[in-house]
Amino acid sequence: MTTIYDEVPYPSLVYSDTHPNRLATLATLFGLKPPPITNCRILELGCGDGTNLIAIAQSLPQSQCVGIDFSATQIAMGQKVIAAIECPHITLKQLDFNEIDESLGMFDYIIAHGVYSWVPKEMQDKVLSLIKSHLAPKGIAYISYNIYPGWLMENVTRDLMMYHTQQLPKLPFQICMMQAKGIVQFIANLRQQSGEAFDVLLQEKSQQFQTMQDNYLYHDFLEADNHPVYFHQFVEHATQQDLAYITDIEFRHYLMLSFPPQVVEAMKELFQEDFFKKEQYMDFFYNRTLRRSLLCHQNMTINRELNWEILPTFYIAASLQVQNPAINWQNDEPALFTNADGETITITHPLIKNAIRYLTTLYPHRVSFEELFKHVSQQSRQNQELSTLRETFAQELLPLYSLKAIELNMESSPFVTMLSTYPTANPLARYFASQAQQPVINLQCEFVNLSTSAMALLPYLNGKNNSQALRTILKKLIKNKKIESKKDNLSAVLEKTLREIARNALLIT
Ligand SMILES: C[S@@+](CC[C@H](N)C(=O)[O-])C[C@H]1O[C@@H](n2cnc3c(N)ncnc32)[C@H](O)[C@@H]1O
């Protein structure tokens, strides 16, 4: 059977938020005891060409990963990559969800990214029932879905694009996409002067569509199946399948840190302490379009009171830009940091300011809570009992996770940041680099863009070349004009390039 995804494959993307490390971290914060991630079993439903799952498998070499998708074209694309990088602990199967039976087995982590609201209504039941029947007793599932109210507004342009393209004869894909984007721009341009809210919407969408990949745009805006739901409807559906909602990946609104205290009080009246109501109101407040939710079995006990005592379980990392480095780091003078989303995070507690500064110098290296506390407390001028200081430190640090100022991890880094004698880069990144395919994927399941010299050197970091061999390789690459280098000090060029590769979480050894 040929599917629409054979004709228009979904873009090959990675989603670091689907990594079991992230799922287990959040589940742990919410009082659950998820399965250890190092040697877990992972299932991805609707895995497309498997890029995301292959990236996860690379960072968890003891795990068993299975990806399922009914598109033969996409599965074949992924299998080609798996064969090239020799990754025996991942299997991609071409199967319809309706063909899955119990022989598939049970999984500690199940991922369904971009599936639930992109399939016919009856298949939405199937996706949840598959999660229910294949999730291990303490397992965690990740499921993303388009939501209302945000999609009420998105549907304005979707309906316009669908209607317009349906009026046309069957066109080659690219021309069809030009037509779909063109009609939005056409109407936006015509209406430009009228000053109504609708104009703003059309202008914004028109600009946004120019930056989006056509294949991606197609599946959200032109494919027949895109059925958003309200959050409360999703929770009801999950409950019918005996699954419990834990949290969303994006849980910054949970703590309501971005609102002034009087607004929080007013909002609390609205929610009346009902967690689910609060989540639904927040979707209205932010006009959200997407949710990425975690589920577990109904019989699990979820504790929604975040407790600092759990923090020492984690390995912590941070990479923030400091905006005002000349401040006094030993007192309460506010330090302003910028996170990866460009938001400003203000920190006053000297221990926390120094922790962030220290972690940033080490990034992407992950530091255990105790090591981090030891480092900052040794330098601290605070006259407090160590145990009190440790508690304050944990209490102040925890909310920073929801503000995307720190990363929490279940395990220490699956990559090295110190250079070894025979450096080995992750095979998936080496494969991408050997095909000159930018960006490459690192061991944090992120896309990273590298310099020309790092791209050229990466395929040779196979654990068989020491620095002398790598210098010879570099010399050849410069001679063959694969790398432009004015420096004739090969050792310096090599050191700089290896450091760049290490800093991007690409080295296994
Ligand atoms: C929107 S794409 C998402 C792909 C990928 N998970 C991602 O987010 O990048 C939905 C995927 O689900 C797959 N799919 C849809 N219905 C399916 C079914 N009944 N059985 C198996 N796979 C299905 C499609 O082939 C497609 O690859």
Side-chain angles (χ1 to χ4, degrees):
M1 182 186 70
T2 310
T3 75
I4 186 66
Y5 287 91
D6 293 305
E7 283 175 45
V8 186
Y10 206 67
S12 310
L13 297 174
V14 283
Y15 312 95
S16 55
D17 282 338
T18 66
H19 196 289
N21 176 41
R22 183 96 164 104
L23 312 194
T25 297
L26 280 161
T28 306
L29 281 176
F30 284 84
L32 296 163
K33 293 200 165 34
I37 62 167
T38 36
N39 57 355
C40 63
R41 276 174 58 80
I42 309 162
L43 170 67
E44 183 163 355
L45 295 169
C47 63
D49 68 4
T51 305
N52 187 50
L53 194 58
I54 298 170
I56 291 174
Q58 288 275 289
S59 64
L60 294 173
Q62 317 281 332
S63 61
Q64 288 297 320
C65 303
V66 179
I68 295 204
D69 202 289
F70 66 0
S71 155
T73 311
Q74 295 187 119
I75 291 290
M77 284 159 71
Q79 282 169 340
K80 193 173 145 208
V81 177
I82 293 169
I85 63 170
E86 295 175 21
C87 191
H89 60 288
I90 169 162
T91 316
L92 299 185
K93 298 182 189 210
Q94 190 227 331
L95 267 185
D96 190 298
F97 297 150
N98 283 320
E99 295 167 329
I100 295 177
D101 61 31
E102 59 186 30
S103 66
L104 188 65
M106 302 299 278
F107 293 86
D108 301 308
Y109 295 93
I110 300 183
I111 302 162
H113 187 279
V115 179
Y116 180 81
S117 53
W118 291 261
V119 291
K121 288 267 180 198
E122 61 281 7
M123 198 52 87
Q124 295 186 342
D125 289 339
K126 185 73 192 170
V127 171
L128 287 183
S129 79
L130 284 172
I131 291 176
K132 176 68 196 169
S133 48
H134 292 275
L135 189 66
K138 292 185 175 176
I140 307 295
Y142 167 107
I143 181 161
S144 70
Y145 46 101
N146 281 338
I147 53 165
Y148 295 128
W151 263 91
L152 292 172
M153 261 158 87
E154 300 292 308
N155 274 340
V156 174
T157 39
R158 176 177 149 90
D159 288 354
L160 166 62
M161 290 157 95
M162 286 191 86
Y163 180 77
H164 178 64
T165 49
Q166 278 159 10
Q167 307 310 307
L168 304 169
K170 186 155 172 51
L171 295 166
F173 177 69
Q174 247 135 36
I175 302 185
C176 175
M177 293 312 296
M178 277 169 66
Q179 282 286 341
K181 288 184 277 190
I183 189 68
V184 179
Q185 189 153 33
F186 178 69
I187 297 190
N189 289 346
L190 277 183
R191 288 184 50 97
Q192 214 169 27
Q193 303 302 327
S194 68
E196 291 174 18
F198 184 45
D199 300 321
V200 179
L201 173 77
L202 287 179
Q203 285 295 342
E204 259 183 36
K205 294 312 292 180
S206 182
Q207 278 165 19
Q208 189 190 341
F209 291 161
Q210 303 309 322
T211 61
M212 281 164 82
Q213 283 189 45
D214 277 353
N215 289 34
Y216 184 81
L217 192 62
Y218 176 87
H219 290 292
D220 258 357
F221 285 85
L222 286 179
E223 199 199 301
D225 289 311
N226 181 354
H227 309 287
V229 289
Y230 279 100
F231 169 69
H232 68 87
Q233 293 171 321
F234 175 77
V235 172
E236 203 177 300
H237 197 189
T239 310
Q240 281 162 10
Q241 293 284 352
D242 211 15
L243 290 165
Y245 172 85
I246 308 170
T247 175
D248 256 53
I249 287 283
E250 187 82 59
F251 80 115
R252 64 177 63 202
H253 313 312
Y254 178 79
L255 296 175
M256 298 200 285
L257 295 172
S258 42
F259 297 106
Q262 65 275 25
V263 176
V264 174
E265 281 315 305
M267 282 180 156
K268 280 187 177 161
E269 284 208 8
L270 200 61
F271 315 142
Q272 290 165 357
E273 301 296 322
D274 183 320
F275 165 77
F276 291 97
K277 270 192 194 168
K278 171 170 134 190
E279 288 289 304
Q280 183 58 76
Y281 275 116
M282 285 292 181
D283 283 0
F284 282 112
F285 184 88
Y286 285 104
N287 194 31
R288 280 174 91 170
T289 53
L290 179 77
R291 269 190 175 263
R292 297 172 298 152
S293 302
L294 301 193
L295 301 175
C296 64
H297 290 290
Q298 275 286 355
N299 60 356
M300 293 286 108
T301 308
I302 300 163
N303 180 1
R304 295 212 162 84
E305 295 298 318
L306 294 188
N307 185 349
W308 68 267
E309 283 175 17
I310 200 72
L311 208 58
T313 323
F314 298 112
Y315 291 82
I316 306 168
S319 169
L320 299 184
Q321 296 272 338
V322 57
Q323 297 173 14
N324 51 348
I327 55 154
N328 183 335
W329 290 85
Q330 295 305 334
N331 68 13
D332 283 353
E333 187 179 350
L336 306 181
F337 294 97
T338 312
N339 73 6
D341 290 349
E343 297 159 337
T344 296
I345 316 275
T346 307
I347 301 175
T348 49
H349 197 289
L351 280 195
I352 306 293
K353 294 195 297 196
N354 284 302
I356 299 290
R357 204 155 66 139
Y358 176 60
L359 290 170
T360 298
T361 59
L362 298 178
Y363 195 79
H365 183 64
R366 302 169 183 176
V367 179
S368 74
F369 174 87
E370 300 305 348
E371 190 189 329
L372 182 62
F373 176 64
K374 194 169 156 202
H375 177 84
V376 287
S377 58
Q378 273 170 356
Q379 298 184 344
S380 158
R381 295 193 202 136
Q382 310 260 315
N383 294 326
Q384 268 178 336
E385 279 266 319
L386 215 53
S387 60
T388 319
L389 202 58
R390 184 175 174 276
E391 184 177 330
T392 313
F393 180 65
Q395 275 171 347
E396 296 270 338
L397 202 56
L398 185 57
L400 293 184
Y401 180 60
S402 84
L403 292 176
K404 290 195 185 168
I406 58 167
E407 296 167 11
L408 298 179
N409 300 284
M410 298 303 291
E411 301 288 336
S412 56
S413 317
F415 46 81
V416 295
T417 44
M418 304 284 281
L419 301 182
S420 69
T421 318
Y422 289 88
T424 313
N426 112 52
L428 185 61
R430 279 187 352 235
Y431 174 75
F432 270 52
S434 68
Q435 316 265 314
Q437 199 178 327
Q438 278 257 48
V440 300
I441 299 170
N442 71 7
L443 289 156
Q444 307 218 85
C445 292
E446 300 159 335
F447 281 123
V448 285
N449 279 300
L450 298 176
S451 65
T452 322
S453 36
M455 281 296 276
L457 195 66
L458 205 51
Y460 301 96
L461 302 185
N462 53 10
K464 294 184 185 146
N465 294 311
N466 62 9
S467 51
Q468 195 184 346
L470 290 171
R471 270 196 301 276
T472 311
I473 290 165
L474 212 50
K475 201 170 176 182
K476 266 195 206 148
L477 290 168
I478 294 171
K479 192 168 161 226
N480 296 338
K481 304 219 177 313
K482 300 275 183 216
I483 302 177
E484 251 184 62
S485 176
K486 290 191 190 91
K487 284 191 194 159
D488 46 12
N489 182 347
L490 280 179
S491 297
V493 178
L494 180 63
E495 166 96 12
K496 186 169 173 253
T497 310
L498 286 176
R499 291 222 172 276
E500 177 191 342
I501 291 170
R503 200 175 54 243
N504 279 293
L506 288 158
L507 291 182
I508 302 168
T509 60

